[in-house]
């Protein structure tokens, strides 16, 4: 079942209201986001990079870790009043206009 970003923001807000006590403050959530991104980086570095994957990391779920990053990002957006759908749409328009042909001639990508 596909959900738009606006709906995801509401789902997270409802979860916080019904299961959490409150949002962690912005600085705590920023630290939490950094921690979650680090967990994604660890999986990527060991599974797809040159580092050896430790036995304890082999069962880590990349999708679950990416979802943790998304969850905390949505928390930060909710508590700071950011409409992520509008921000994403604006960013995609900028990237489309600015970068339409940018990478086509990049020899590194061939």
């Amino acid at each position: 079942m596909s959900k738009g970003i606006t709906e995801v923001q509401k789902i997270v807000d409802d979860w916080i209201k019904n299961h959490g006590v409150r949002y962690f403050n912005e600085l705590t959530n920023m630290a939490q986001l950094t921690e979650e991104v680090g967990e994604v980086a660890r999986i990527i570095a060991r599974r797809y990079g040159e580092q050896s994957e430790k036995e304890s990391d082999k069962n880590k779920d990349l999708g679950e870790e990416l979802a943790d990053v998304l969850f905390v990002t949505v928390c930060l957006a909710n508590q700071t009043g950011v409409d992520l759908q509008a921000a994403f749409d604006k960013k995609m328009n900028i990237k489309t206009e600015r970068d339409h042909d940018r990478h086509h001639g990049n020899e590194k990508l061939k």
Side-chain angles (χ1 to χ4, degrees):
M1 180 178 211
S2 180
K3 299 192 185 331
I5 297 171
T6 300
E7 187 174 353
V8 169
Q9 282 191 259
K10 182 176 179 348
I11 289 167
V12 169
D13 193 58
D14 289 345
W15 187 91
I16 294 292
K17 290 174 181 169
N18 293 312
H19 301 284
V21 175
R22 62 170 174 77
Y23 285 96
F24 294 134
N25 69 40
E26 295 84 354
L27 288 175
T28 300
N29 273 335
M30 187 63 232
Q32 186 69 34
L33 178 60
T34 303
E35 181 181 332
E36 299 299 351
V37 169
E39 291 176 15
V40 169
R42 180 182 180 106
I43 291 170
I44 296 291
R46 295 173 192 278
R47 196 164 296 162
Y48 303 100
E50 296 174 339
Q51 285 188 317
S52 299
E53 191 168 25
K54 294 180 178 179
E55 200 58 43
S56 61
D57 290 333
K58 289 185 178 178
N59 291 325
K60 302 265 181 178
D61 184 331
L62 178 58
E64 187 176 321
E65 298 304 334
L66 287 167
D68 285 341
V69 170
L70 180 60
F71 181 85
V72 180
T73 299
V74 170
C75 285
L76 282 165
N78 284 353
Q79 67 193 134
T80 58
V82 171
D83 177 340
L84 274 178
Q85 186 68 65
F88 182 79
D89 292 345
K90 180 180 177 182
K91 180 55 69 176
M92 289 306 298
N93 286 333
I94 290 169
K95 291 180 77 55
T96 300
E97 291 173 17
R98 180 190 67 199
D99 299 336
H100 179 70
D101 295 319
R102 178 176 171 201
H103 301 294
H104 292 256
N106 184 345
E107 291 297 320
K108 297 176 191 175
L109 297 177
K110 292 186 178 184

